[in-house]
Amino acid sequence: MKSFRKELWFETEHRRDYLNITRHVEMCLRESGITEGLCLVNAMHITSSVFINDDEGGLHHDFEIWLEKLAPEKPHSQYRHNGFEDNADAHMKRQLMGREVVVAITEGRLDFGPWEQIFYGEYDGMRRKRVLVKIIGE
Amino acid sequence: MKSFRKELWFETEHRRDYLNITRHVEMCLRESGITEGLCLVNAMHITSSVFINDDEGGLHHDFEIWLEKLAPEKPHSQYRHNGFEDNADAHMKRQLMGREVVVAITEGRLDFGPWEQIFYGEYDGMRRKRVLVKIIGE
Amino acid sequence: MKSFRKELWFETEHRRDYLNITRHVEMCLRESGITEGLCLVNAMHITSSVFINDDEGGLHHDFEIWLEKLAPEKPHSQYRHNGFEDNADAHMKRQLMGREVVVAITEGRLDFGPWEQIFYGEYDGMRRKRVLVKIIGE
């Protein structure tokens, strides 16, 4: 069994943002030399998310509105977590969108359906944060 | 390390539906010959879901009402994604229910608690769509 | 390839509760002797959850309020699942918080960011329930 590990660093311009990181993960896969196995991609921070969905700007705008409806940022004082912090909503948004994805590796490629793309979802950004890529297989 | 891959095809009768796919995954496992490892089951489309919960019709009815409350389909015009499409809500429902499950394989079986069953959750159906089963182990 | 399996048993004092189970998973990892691979931790019951977030009591209080807003327990009669049961809301809360996490194992450790901790989230407790830990690797 082979294994491969890499950290990807990202810093978003806005507090909340979506980055398509599919190519970064594909580069990790090529570097690993693994052709059959599983690839885990997870946020290493608890106020951000890794998920698979559509690379369409309208949808990302809809996600912003929708997550603000289900887990609003403000008023900050509505959350007990926000004594010394202001990011309780980011911890909730990340639960809705998910910490991680596991992707099948088949014949040296991310084994994806036609529209699957991997995103880093940031809910408390404007600082450097990490995503972990771990691949095991042969 | 052994690996196994299979696509399962489904077409639901309704726009939204739940199919118990546990037996399909068990047949994949038997076919794979793998007795110890991990089994990934994921929707290959970004408007459907794979999740583990109870095989109880009342609960699936409750899911339908609940998901429509949290991410309503209509009016279609409320979502920017719906310029040429009408399925923005399906992208959101799938985030709430999840893209994938990873199941332990132990002694040749899906290592499940008493009520765990695998479901395909469809939010934009009435067309052929796929689920990927990938098993790695020995 | 090595594999390791263990069930962890928990009984919470309240209907809903959060337990930090990181140390239990670390003990499994040590016992397994595996230093490179993947670790799956999943609820074996369909009214509880395993997730990764912050070990901060204020946040867990916020989760309680928030999940009750998105998937309220009462009135029990609002859910069709609650003919002979009263826990439909717990099936929904577990969907929001997730069934499982997959954690990378690197150099014999859970490969975590600075604040990642593993929690058992209980939504229908006060009885003995199980979490499965399955580790594969070398």
Side-chain angles (χ1 to χ4, degrees):
Chain A
M1 199 200 78
K2 276 169 146 178
S3 75
F4 175 88
R5 175 197 195 273
K6 192 160 203 168
E7 291 177 7
L8 307 174
W9 288 84
F10 301 103
E11 179 168 354
T12 62
E13 269 180 71
H14 308 100
R15 182 180 174 102
R16 288 187 288 276
D17 231 329
Y18 297 104
L19 305 178
N20 186 335
I21 63 170
T22 313
R23 284 185 198 176
H24 297 266
V25 179
E26 284 170 345
M27 282 168 59
C28 290
L29 180 56
R30 222 166 298 141
E31 199 181 331
S32 75
I34 293 171
T35 55
E36 286 291 324
L38 293 177
C39 175
L40 168 70
V41 188
N42 69 264
M44 297 185 77
H45 298 259
I46 52 190
T47 50
S48 53
S49 183
V50 170
F51 66 93
I52 287 175
N53 215 308
D54 200 0
D55 194 1
E56 200 278 302
L59 181 65
H60 301 170
H61 172 85
D62 296 332
F63 278 150
E64 164 64 17
I65 305 291
W66 179 62
L67 290 172
E68 271 296 286
K69 198 179 75 179
L70 296 189
E73 181 196 337
K74 293 177 182 171
H76 291 152
S77 61
Q78 75 190 293
Y79 300 115
R80 198 174 287 185
H81 181 62
N82 288 344
F84 299 91
E85 308 207 59
D86 65 2
N87 64 3
D89 70 300
H91 291 275
M92 291 164 179
K93 288 175 169 108
R94 109 70 159 252
Q95 288 304 128
L96 296 176
M97 298 299 277
R99 167 190 179 255
E100 79 210 12
V101 296
V102 177
V103 181
I105 305 301
T106 304
E107 297 179 2
R109 308 184 73 164
L110 300 176
D111 197 338
F112 270 160
W115 299 101
E116 289 189 284
Q117 295 282 303
I118 308 175
F119 287 89
Y120 176 65
E122 177 62 84
Y123 311 110
D124 184 24
M126 298 183 290
R127 52 193 174 104
R128 280 164 57 75
K129 290 165 80 173
R130 281 175 292 164
V131 165
L132 181 65
V133 180
K134 182 91 184 188
I135 310 172
I136 69 166
E138 275 182 353
Chain B
M1 199 200 77
K2 278 169 143 178
S3 74
F4 175 89
R5 176 198 195 272
K6 192 160 203 169
E7 290 178 7
L8 307 173
W9 288 83
F10 301 102
E11 180 168 355
T12 61
E13 270 181 68
H14 308 99
R15 183 180 172 100
R16 289 187 286 277
D17 231 330
Y18 297 104
L19 306 178
N20 186 335
I21 63 170
T22 313
R23 284 185 198 177
H24 297 264
V25 179
E26 284 170 345
M27 282 168 59
C28 289
L29 179 56
R30 222 167 299 141
E31 200 181 330
S32 76
I34 292 171
T35 55
E36 287 292 322
L38 293 177
C39 175
L40 168 71
V41 188
N42 69 264
M44 297 186 76
H45 298 259
I46 51 190
T47 50
S48 53
S49 183
V50 171
F51 66 92
I52 288 176
N53 215 307
D54 200 0
D55 194 1
E56 201 277 302
L59 181 65
H60 302 170
H61 172 86
D62 295 333
F63 279 149
E64 164 65 16
I65 305 290
W66 179 63
L67 290 171
E68 271 296 285
K69 199 180 74 179
L70 295 189
E73 180 195 336
K74 293 177 183 170
H76 291 151
S77 61
Q78 76 190 293
Y79 301 115
R80 200 174 285 185
H81 181 63
N82 288 344
F84 299 90
E85 308 209 60
D86 64 2
N87 64 3
D89 69 300
H91 291 275
M92 291 165 180
K93 287 174 169 109
R94 108 70 161 255
Q95 288 304 128
L96 296 177
M97 297 299 276
R99 167 190 180 254
E100 79 211 12
V101 295
V102 177
V103 181
I105 305 301
T106 304
E107 297 180 3
R109 309 184 72 164
L110 300 175
D111 197 337
F112 269 160
W115 300 102
E116 288 189 285
Q117 296 281 302
I118 307 176
F119 287 88
Y120 176 65
E122 177 63 85
Y123 311 110
D124 184 24
M126 299 183 289
R127 51 193 175 103
R128 279 165 58 75
K129 289 167 79 174
R130 281 176 292 164
V131 165
L132 180 66
V133 180
K134 182 91 183 188
I135 309 173
I136 69 165
E138 276 182 352
Chain C
M1 198 200 78
K2 276 169 145 179
S3 74
F4 175 89
R5 175 197 195 272
K6 191 159 204 169
E7 291 178 6
L8 306 174
W9 288 84
F10 300 103
E11 181 168 354
T12 61
E13 268 180 71
H14 308 99
R15 183 180 173 102
R16 288 187 288 276
D17 231 330
Y18 298 104
L19 305 178
N20 186 335
I21 63 170
T22 313
R23 284 186 198 177
H24 297 266
V25 179
E26 284 170 345
M27 282 168 59
C28 289
L29 179 56
R30 223 166 297 143
E31 199 180 330
S32 76
I34 293 171
T35 55
E36 285 293 323
L38 293 177
C39 176
L40 168 70
V41 188
N42 70 263
M44 297 186 76
H45 298 259
I46 52 191
T47 50
S48 54
S49 184
V50 170
F51 65 93
I52 287 175
N53 215 308
D54 200 0
D55 194 2
E56 200 278 301
L59 181 65
H60 302 169
H61 172 86
D62 295 333
F63 279 149
E64 164 65 17
I65 305 291
W66 180 63
L67 290 172
E68 270 297 285
K69 198 179 76 179
L70 295 188
E73 180 195 336
K74 294 177 182 171
H76 291 151
S77 61
Q78 76 190 292
Y79 300 114
R80 199 175 286 185
H81 180 63
N82 288 344
F84 299 92
E85 307 208 59
D86 64 2
N87 64 3
D89 69 299
H91 290 275
M92 291 164 179
K93 288 176 169 107
R94 108 71 161 253
Q95 289 304 127
L96 296 177
M97 297 298 278
R99 166 190 180 255
E100 78 212 12
V101 295
V102 177
V103 181
I105 305 300
T106 304
E107 297 179 4
R109 308 183 73 162
L110 300 175
D111 197 338
F112 271 159
W115 300 101
E116 289 190 284
Q117 296 281 303
I118 308 175
F119 286 89
Y120 176 65
E122 177 63 85
Y123 310 110
D124 184 24
M126 299 183 287
R127 52 194 174 102
R128 277 164 59 74
K129 290 167 79 173
R130 281 176 291 164
V131 165
L132 180 65
V133 180
K134 182 91 182 188
I135 310 172
I136 69 166
E138 275 181 355

